[in-house]
Amino acid sequence: MPSEPSAAAAAAATLADPSLQRIVEALARSAAVPRPAAEPFLARVRRHLPALRAELALLYGHRGDFEAFVVALLEQACGAWLERSAALKRQDEQRERDPAWFQSERLIGGVCYVDLYAGDLRGIEACIPYFRELGLTYLHLMPPYDCPEPHSDGGYAVSSYRRVRRDLGSIDDLRRLASALREAGISLVLDFVFNHTSDEHAWAQAARAGDARHRDYYFLFDSRDEPDRYERTLREIFPEEHPGAFSPLPDGRWVWTTFHSYQWDLNYGNPEVFAAMAGEMLFIANLGVDFLRMDAVAFVWKRLGTSCENLPEAHALIRAYNALARIAAPGLVFKSEAIVHPDDVVRYISPAECQVAYNPLQMALLWNSLATREVNLLQQALEERNALPDGTAWVNYVRSHDDIGWTFADEDAMRLGIRGFDHRQFLNRFYVNRFPGSFARGVPFQDNPATGDCRISGTCASLCGLEQGDALAVERIVLLYGVMLATSGIPLIYLGDEVGTLNDRSSLQDPAKAGDSRWVHRPRRDAARQAQRLEAGTPAGRIYAGLRRLIEGRRSIPEFGGGRLIGFRTKNPSVLGFMRPGEAGPVLVLANFSEHAQTVAAEVLSGMPPRVTDRVAGVALELSGGLTLAPCQVLWLDARRA
Ligand code: GLC
Ligand code: GLC
């Protein structure tokens, strides 16, 4: 279980603490906190101030103006709360009464780019009937904020958090869309891209022009001396675009850019940056956002001599933002995006930090099992690395807008006799179709000859064999989704996967996209395929029917909500097994990752009732003689008493 170093400190600090008293008294006197309107706000301040102050003290406590800083932050938060709409405040209250709401089996997610999927924000609104047809109750829109053109890292280089990219609509369109989604029972997920801004953000422009105050918002260096010192211990994230973590400016200075050279890392050592970004965060929350996707959490704090990833201060920073959200936008849920070693991924997950988190391990190991036809690593991960603290949940996915990186733990692999480095080389060759017999049609991403590192781009369908016409491609897609939708957490579908959208190779010729192969798996919505979804004979129709059955099944099985999952060893190396237990008995999930029929012996199934219903195909099955799974078949065996 992840530890929370400062939880004890927070608990120890009660409001009897004189410094907390002074903060509360200052707020009581403050004109920015009008009474009685702000009474509920003050009640939440009393509850969450010990935690907020403890986290902030880890970052900024050494500063002489620390208390005044906390007071000013809370005044700002009060302003944001007073601006929060009545509908959102009602929802806040409901969620405070039911904090486990997002663990429901009925939460089903989708993700898309606004422009590529529907043209603009109004186009997304027009898709709501389709989202409902599919069964979605959660929608992640890739960042729609103002950004540089044509290079914006798909919106992850933000020029203003308060303006929408002009061709997508206006901030009012975004607000309207949020309400329309809420009325349709669909939660809205937007990004908080807080590690960096674009180089066109007003702060960056002021810094470039020589404004001293804004220079301290970023990491700007007059020479290579400091960058060289830092780079001794840094990992390269986008080596194809620029080596190392810094980019040169025309005037000879260097700026910290973990990602692209136009994405300038923010300097959270400066408390003014924390406060400024708190304002942006609460502005976004008040648009009507339910989940805030905390982008690139691993990188937000830097310290010389370290990897500058996953530092304790990064956690304190996120927990401080979380405490602030509990005070000013209590219905908001944080989702962490940490694509790092599995030990580090879980350290971001707690009710006080990020309540939900991407599960990159499960994602990578699904693909691993398809390539090796063995379930060993995935079975191990489900048994040993899936459990999470109460009040938190995974966000599971088969693929995202980003690359597939092989982020399993080498130690785990070694226990199964698998050498991490060599195995990743195999997986990369397999998925870019440089391995004899591979069905996959992926493209390398950030191939780094110096380290041998590489990741993979490709849509689900192209990686599963649909592009090359493999006979089992549809079964593989349904298999991956059938496992993912049955595990514990919020399932997230990359929209387009449900109709088998293929790679967009034209992006490799487009000058705005050619440098970043992730665009291969970010095609426009394929209207022709979507239209075929109801035609039974087409691949699109078969995939859509398969996923619809899985989604309906998930929504109707309460045991699929919550976090309980127990491994079930099938004694067949190609067949994954796990149970979702419940009061009335379990649902047993079995998944055959090979392209041959596989059997599970009768004695393995002896604890199960003799007759069960497979909820995937909707048929009754006899278990007393063992079971044979068809190639790439997934079964949800319902053993619950009626
Ligand atoms: C996140 C996004 C990715 C982006 C990066 C930098 O990892 O998912 O698309 O490139 O952050 O913002
Ligand atoms: C790296 C980062 C991750 C980011 C990805 C973008 O893996 O760790 O945060 O999403 O690059 O491709």
Side-chain angles (χ1 to χ4, degrees):
M1 280 298 106
S3 63
E4 278 180 57
S6 53
T14 66
L15 285 181
D17 178 329
S19 64
L20 294 181
Q21 264 308 322
R22 282 196 297 274
I23 291 169
V24 173
E25 282 160 18
L27 285 176
R29 286 192 306 271
S30 167
V33 186
R35 311 216 192 184
E39 224 19 272
F41 173 84
L42 283 169
R44 288 197 303 274
V45 169
R46 284 183 215 104
R47 203 155 78 234
H48 299 289
L49 182 58
L52 175 66
R53 190 191 167 285
E55 304 301 350
L56 288 173
L58 290 174
L59 305 174
Y60 311 120
H62 57 283
R63 304 178 65 106
D65 58 354
F66 177 63
E67 266 175 41
F69 168 72
V70 180
V71 172
L73 200 57
L74 287 168
E75 287 175 338
Q76 181 191 356
C78 185
W81 183 74
L82 291 171
E83 278 167 21
R84 200 162 164 78
S85 74
L88 290 177
K89 286 178 177 163
R90 271 197 305 280
Q91 187 172 275
D92 288 339
E93 281 171 28
Q94 277 163 19
R95 290 185 179 166
E96 282 186 292
R97 280 197 299 275
D98 178 21
W101 69 274
F102 56 80
Q103 292 176 300
S104 160
E105 69 282 2
R106 303 186 71 81
L107 222 65
I108 311 272
V111 51
C112 65
Y113 286 88
V114 175
D115 54 344
L116 297 173
Y117 195 76
D120 57 16
L121 291 167
R122 295 203 172 219
I124 294 284
E125 202 173 324
C127 291
I128 289 178
Y130 176 68
F131 299 151
R132 296 188 59 138
E133 173 191 308
L134 188 56
L136 300 190
T137 49
Y138 164 121
L139 180 67
H140 175 203
L141 296 178
M142 301 303 292
Y145 315 109
D146 191 22
C147 60
E149 283 303 337
H151 294 289
S152 69
D153 192 19
Y156 282 97
V158 178
S159 303
S160 164
Y161 300 88
R162 296 182 186 233
R163 277 198 312 268
V164 163
R165 212 176 89 190
R166 191 166 312 159
D167 59 313
L168 303 182
S170 67
I171 203 77
D172 287 326
D173 291 334
L174 186 53
R175 256 188 218 106
R176 215 183 70 163
L177 174 62
S179 329
L181 289 168
R182 198 161 42 251
E183 273 158 37
I186 300 174
S187 294
L188 175 61
V189 190
L190 286 184
D191 277 85
F192 185 42
V193 185
F194 68 121
N195 175 67
H196 46 264
T197 71
S198 89
D199 61 352
E200 292 184 6
H201 193 287
W203 302 337
Q205 285 179 338
R208 201 173 8 221
D211 175 68
R213 179 170 155 226
H214 289 99
R215 186 194 55 217
D216 293 341
Y217 272 44
Y218 300 95
F219 299 92
L220 283 159
F221 304 98
D222 290 331
S223 73
R224 278 290 313 180
D225 295 349
E226 276 193 78
D228 285 340
R229 276 203 293 279
Y230 275 109
E231 274 182 359
R232 275 183 217 135
T233 50
L234 295 182
R235 174 168 79 108
E236 294 181 299
I237 304 302
F238 284 172
E240 286 177 0
E241 202 243 9
H242 64 85
F246 300 86
S247 301
L249 296 180
D251 62 9
R253 287 186 294 172
W254 289 82
V255 59
W256 198 312
T257 57
T258 297
F259 296 92
H260 290 101
S261 52
Y262 50 82
Q263 287 164 302
W264 290 16
D265 287 48
L266 285 163
N267 172 16
Y268 282 95
N270 176 359
E272 198 180 321
V273 171
F274 182 93
M277 288 301 286
E280 305 311 84
M281 175 182 87
L282 294 175
F283 176 84
I284 295 170
N286 281 352
L287 293 171
V289 169
D290 298 279
F291 292 83
L292 203 56
R293 177 188 181 277
M294 308 295 283
D295 184 57
V297 289
F299 303 93
V300 296
W301 195 274
K302 287 52 166 162
R303 199 190 319 130
L304 190 63
T306 71
S307 67
C308 298
E309 286 186 49
N310 308 307
L311 294 180
E313 292 89 344
H315 293 283
L317 184 81
I318 300 163
R319 286 194 299 255
Y321 276 140
N322 188 313
L324 213 53
R326 302 283 67 78
I327 291 170
L332 187 67
V333 177
F334 281 12
K335 166 164 86 157
S336 93
E337 189 249 348
I339 314 301
V340 290
H341 187 287
D343 289 344
D344 291 317
V345 172
V346 293
R347 293 199 177 100
Y348 293 92
I349 311 174
S350 85
E353 193 165 334
C354 293
Q355 297 96 325
V356 305
Y358 282 104
N359 190 351
L361 181 63
Q362 183 186 105
M363 185 276 292
L365 294 181
L366 284 166
W367 293 105
N368 173 67
S369 290
L370 266 196
T372 62
R373 286 77 163 172
E374 290 194 346
V375 299
N376 45 7
L377 277 167
L378 184 55
Q379 185 79 38
Q380 181 193 51
L382 284 173
E383 289 173 10
E384 298 176 14
R385 291 194 180 269
N386 191 66
L388 288 181
D390 283 347
T392 66
W394 288 115
V395 173
N396 295 310
Y397 60 115
V398 158
R399 63 97 159 193
S400 72
H401 70 288
D402 280 332
D403 45 289
I404 299 174
W406 309 111
T407 59
F408 58 82
D410 283 15
E411 316 80 87
D412 294 1
M414 211 55 214
R415 280 164 47 213
L416 298 168
I418 298 167
R419 292 156 62 97
F421 184 84
D422 301 342
H423 192 60
R424 288 188 184 90
Q425 301 286 316
F426 155 72
L427 290 168
N428 285 327
R429 282 203 309 280
F430 187 90
Y431 279 107
V432 302
N433 194 31
R434 278 191 222 131
F435 190 84
S438 170
F439 47 77
R441 287 285 184 271
V443 179
F445 178 68
Q446 304 299 333
D447 206 349
N448 190 341
T451 58
D453 285 342
C454 180
R455 285 112 78 183
I456 297 296
S457 292
T459 67
C460 174
S462 287
L463 295 178
C464 280
L466 197 65
E467 191 173 320
Q468 82 156 42
D470 187 275
L472 283 170
V474 172
E475 283 74 8
R476 282 193 196 95
I477 297 169
V478 176
L479 168 71
L480 293 182
Y481 272 98
V483 173
M484 187 277 269
L485 277 152
T487 53
S488 53
I490 303 170
L492 180 57
I493 301 165
Y494 192 94
L495 289 173
D497 278 7
E498 78 281 11
V499 291
T501 304
L502 299 178
N503 284 344
D504 172 14
R505 289 186 185 265
S506 72
S507 68
L508 297 169
Q509 260 70 60
D510 177 343
K513 297 182 171 172
D516 186 333
S517 76
R518 291 173 299 172
W519 289 106
V520 165
H521 57 239
R522 302 167 177 174
R524 289 190 175 282
R525 178 167 50 141
D526 186 334
R529 274 183 186 275
Q530 207 183 352
Q532 281 173 0
R533 73 186 185 279
L534 304 173
E535 291 172 29
T538 62
R542 288 173 57 212
I543 298 167
Y544 189 75
L547 260 57
R548 281 286 305 123
R549 274 200 311 278
L550 294 171
I551 292 170
E552 267 323 297
R554 170 158 179 120
R555 288 164 63 96
S556 66
I557 301 176
E559 286 72 8
F560 282 178
R564 291 207 289 166
L565 183 151
I566 301 170
F568 181 95
R569 295 285 171 116
T570 66
K571 302 203 171 144
N572 180 323
S574 295
V575 182
L576 183 77
F578 61 90
M579 294 201 292
R580 302 302 309 275
E583 298 296 297
V587 177
L588 171 63
V589 176
L590 297 176
N592 174 12
F593 279 82
S594 96
E595 45 266 276
H596 303 288
Q598 296 291 332
T599 55
V600 178
E603 75 258 18
V604 171
L605 298 166
S606 60
M608 296 284 287
R611 265 178 86 79
V612 293
T613 306
D614 167 28
R615 296 292 298 265
V616 176
V619 296
L621 289 176
E622 189 65 49
L623 298 186
S624 41
L627 252 185
T628 299
L629 286 91
C632 296
Q633 185 177 21
V634 59
L635 299 170
W636 292 355
L637 302 180
D638 191 345
R640 296 171 305 162
R641 290 176 298 278

